[in-house]
Amino acid sequence: MDSEFELVINGKTTGASSGETFQTDNPATKEQLATVSRGAKEDVDTAVQSAREAFESEWRETSNAERAAILREIATNFRDNADRLAKLDCLDQGKPLSNSQHSVNQAARYFEYYASAIDVTREDSIPVGSGYTDFTRREPYGIVGEIVPWNYPVQLFARSLAPALAVGNTVVVKPAELTPLTAIEMGRLIAESSIPDGAVNIVPGFGDEAGAAVSAHPDIDKVGFTGSVRTGQKVMESATQNLTPVTLELGGKNPYLMFPDADFDEMADDLVIACLSNAGQTCSAASRLLIHEAIHEDFIPVLVERFEELTVGSGVDDPDIGSLIGSDHFEKVRNYIEIGKQEANLVTGGRSTESLPDVSEGYFIEPTVFDDVSPDDRIAQEEVFGPVLSVIEFSDEEEAIEIANDVEYGLTSGVATKDIDRANRIARELRSGQVYVNEWYAGGIKAPFGGVKNSGFGRVKGTEALDQYSQVKNICFKYES
Ligand code: NAD
């Protein structure tokens, strides 16, 4: 593996204009993994200039079919380098190797999916009256600035880039400072395709330097931000100066509502994926289990047994649960576990690296369940972003909906019941951008995704993402009669 990673600007790797670098570590061992060029405002300026040139001189004039062919070429480059990308993701982010392999496959799928989607888009013709022809065109914004978090660096890079490029934008990406390596590597692989130089630029660096320069840039036409509510507010505030439109994909405190007719074993298996994927560092994770009082007591032992079977270890050994991202976040999650012990009843888990049998270094926390959580408790309201589930009891449908909706977030939610009418009723009442019935994460990349309330606004995934990265122009012709 390379130990030095640079910016990718105008199709070439280059150091930061300041010459400065920063370090990225392996969270499973705390060892230094690589040295990364520290991009800042001047580098963002150069990247934007290069994106502008690529947009004006070439990319905006390409046909949908031409862009689709290039997106497919990029997907092939990712697949041809899948092992290397997955290993890099696993080492830099800490997730189990098979999850990183899945992420790389998903990244290729995003490019393939948007290649197909853009090639079959249609535009509207509007009957405004005799003697006129009125139609709409979807046009790219121009330059998209994309700011990406650390939890799914491979998938989130592709989730935003593929639709933005598909509709004809060029892009400047600011990856998270904790996980910059895969974005740089994917940027290099994109530069090896037939895409014009400068269509995709990668500027690694810190949020208040490179990130702030992206959100405040006067020549960026659209900002896509994925991350925390606090940073999302800052991004929106600075984008306001230039009236730059933003999409905000923020956090969640997502409820899974379980009714007495749900299958216990299926639900325990689903909660492993829903709550614990990526050690719970997932915006759309089910972090609250809302359970009917009639099954509460009987289900908890089934859940605890399932959670206690899971292995915790270094991502390269492909355990069930990998490491958390780094020291600050590790301490934050451990602090929430201490808060949880005061507020509720710890029924399993709670231990971290020094008390776990199979790890000695790094940032590990075992699957943790708090029972008898009250809806107002901090561990029921705040995003912990770790392998921690809060269990809350309800007595009827109405109460379940009220508890589910009574948080600041509204990203995803789920209902487990065999009663289709009930599921349908509840799905309409839940205030979230997506509802899963009987299987968390059902839907995949073709289903639109995004939040309501403090989980943000705008939709990614699905064909909705093509709308998100383009704007409508209406053209009306009057003919001589
Ligand atoms: P974060 O907000 O700390 O950072 C996200 C990105 O913003 C990073 O690249 C960071 O460098 C950059 N940034 C920081 N300060 C900035 C500033 N002042 N101006 C511009 N950019 C700045 O978030 P995080 O801790 O990396 O990610 C975790 C959060 O992301 C969680 O809340 C999670 O729920 C959320 N998330 C949401 C989604 C979604 O699709 N809704 C997906 C993944 C993660």
Side-chain angles (χ1 to χ4, degrees):
M1 194 191 100
D2 291 348
S3 59
E4 292 189 8
F5 286 74
E6 296 188 313
L7 288 64
V8 183
I9 295 186
N10 205 25
K12 291 165 205 64
T13 52
T14 173
S17 57
S18 65
E20 286 187 39
T21 57
F22 64 101
Q23 180 181 316
T24 177
D25 300 335
N26 177 344
T29 62
K30 299 188 183 173
E31 286 164 3
Q32 178 175 348
L33 198 56
T35 302
V36 183
S37 295
R38 180 173 175 165
K41 186 176 177 311
E42 296 92 272
D43 304 294
V44 171
D45 287 345
T46 315
V48 171
Q49 204 181 337
S50 134
R52 176 63 63 195
E53 278 162 23
F55 177 72
E56 299 295 349
S57 67
E58 231 177 306
W59 195 240
R60 64 180 295 185
E61 294 303 334
T62 50
S63 68
N64 288 356
E66 286 167 320
R67 288 197 300 280
I70 291 176
L71 294 189
R72 289 206 174 87
E73 211 188 314
I74 292 170
T76 303
N77 286 359
F78 290 170
R79 290 195 188 284
D80 289 347
N81 291 276
D83 288 346
R84 197 158 50 86
L85 281 174
K87 182 89 185 290
L88 205 55
D89 182 50
C90 170
L91 292 173
D92 201 17
Q93 204 280 334
K95 51 169 67 71
L97 185 58
S98 54
N99 293 14
S100 293
Q101 287 160 342
H102 173 72
S103 282
V104 175
N105 184 52
Q106 287 293 93
R109 281 285 298 130
Y110 274 117
F111 278 78
E112 289 159 354
Y113 171 71
Y114 286 108
S116 302
I118 196 64
D119 217 12
V120 296
T121 50
R122 300 176 64 157
E123 281 153 356
D124 291 330
S125 166
I126 301 161
V128 293
S130 160
Y132 296 89
T133 295
D134 187 292
F135 60 96
T136 58
R137 259 171 68 77
R138 288 214 79 98
E139 298 191 340
Y141 278 96
I143 316 303
V144 171
E146 201 62 49
I147 303 172
V148 184
W150 50 260
N151 61 336
Y152 285 89
V154 171
Q155 286 196 51
L156 297 179
F157 175 93
R159 181 178 89 176
S160 42
L161 215 66
L165 290 171
V167 294
N169 300 285
T170 57
V171 189
V172 175
V173 183
K174 208 300 277 175
E177 51 271 51
L178 290 168
T179 55
L181 303 187
T182 45
I184 296 172
E185 196 50 35
M186 291 163 93
R188 286 187 202 156
L189 292 169
I190 290 172
E192 285 173 13
S193 75
S194 327
I195 201 165
D197 286 345
V200 174
N201 305 274
I202 317 292
V203 184
F206 289 85
D208 52 4
E209 295 175 0
V214 167
S215 57
H217 205 290
D219 201 30
I220 283 184
D221 304 299
K222 160 95 190 182
V223 171
F225 173 79
T226 307
S228 62
V229 173
R230 207 173 129 70
T231 313
Q233 286 166 331
K234 287 189 198 167
V235 165
M236 194 167 163
E237 206 176 306
S238 68
T240 307
Q241 303 308 313
N242 303 306
L243 293 179
T244 311
V246 295
T247 296
L248 297 181
E249 296 289 341
L250 310 177
K253 187 73 189 178
N254 311 302
Y256 206 162
L257 282 58
M258 182 178 177
F259 286 85
D261 55 355
D263 183 282
F264 278 20
D265 289 328
E266 282 175 18
M267 189 63 185
D269 283 347
D270 204 26
L271 277 166
V272 170
I273 294 163
C275 174
L276 301 175
S277 294
N278 200 23
Q281 302 166 117
T282 306
C283 54
S284 46
S287 50
R288 292 184 292 154
L289 172 65
L290 275 49
I291 188 164
H292 192 275
E293 60 188 5
I295 50 169
H296 182 179
E297 206 180 313
D298 292 339
F299 181 65
I300 291 295
V302 178
L303 178 69
V304 166
E305 193 185 337
R306 186 73 188 90
F307 272 33
E308 288 181 351
E309 286 165 5
L310 301 171
T311 54
V312 178
S314 177
V316 287
D317 299 329
D318 205 28
D320 296 309
I321 313 289
S323 62
L324 273 71
I325 187 63
S327 61
D328 290 353
H329 189 60
F330 182 60
E331 291 311 331
K332 178 183 151 190
V333 176
R334 294 212 297 186
N335 188 42
Y336 270 117
I337 289 176
E338 291 311 310
I339 293 169
K341 285 178 187 168
Q342 307 294 319
E343 292 180 329
N345 178 17
L346 176 71
V347 288
T348 187
R351 293 178 302 168
S352 49
T353 308
E354 54 271 25
S355 340
L356 290 172
D358 300 324
V359 292
S360 51
E361 287 293 337
Y363 307 109
F364 297 93
I365 295 181
E366 66 185 341
T368 299
V369 178
F370 285 105
D371 194 12
D372 304 320
V373 176
S374 144
D376 297 332
D377 286 342
R378 286 186 64 189
I379 55 163
Q381 290 287 328
E382 298 173 22
E383 188 185 42
V384 174
F385 223 51
V388 180
L389 181 67
S390 296
V391 181
I392 304 169
E393 185 182 282
F394 67 84
S395 53
D396 60 29
E397 209 174 292
E398 200 182 328
E399 188 190 13
I401 294 167
E402 193 184 314
I403 296 170
N405 288 341
D406 187 24
V407 291
E408 66 172 295
Y409 298 104
L411 190 55
T412 58
S413 45
V415 190
T417 177
K418 297 208 164 45
D419 180 340
I420 302 211
D421 291 334
R422 171 159 59 200
N424 190 36
R425 251 188 337 263
I426 294 175
R428 286 158 183 263
E429 293 300 321
L430 290 172
R431 293 195 61 206
S432 67
Q434 195 166 27
V435 181
Y436 310 113
V437 177
N438 291 327
E439 185 190 280
W440 200 267
Y441 293 135
I445 69 174
K446 296 180 189 175
F449 176 86
V452 301
K453 302 195 283 180
N454 281 1
S455 291
F457 49 81
R459 293 293 176 266
V460 289
K461 300 186 176 176
T463 51
E464 277 74 4
L466 297 173
D467 296 344
Q468 207 60 224
Y469 286 103
S470 61
Q471 46 197 348
V472 172
K473 178 182 279 178
N474 182 264
I475 300 175
C476 190
F477 280 69
K478 178 181 186 314
Y479 295 106
E480 292 296 330
S481 48

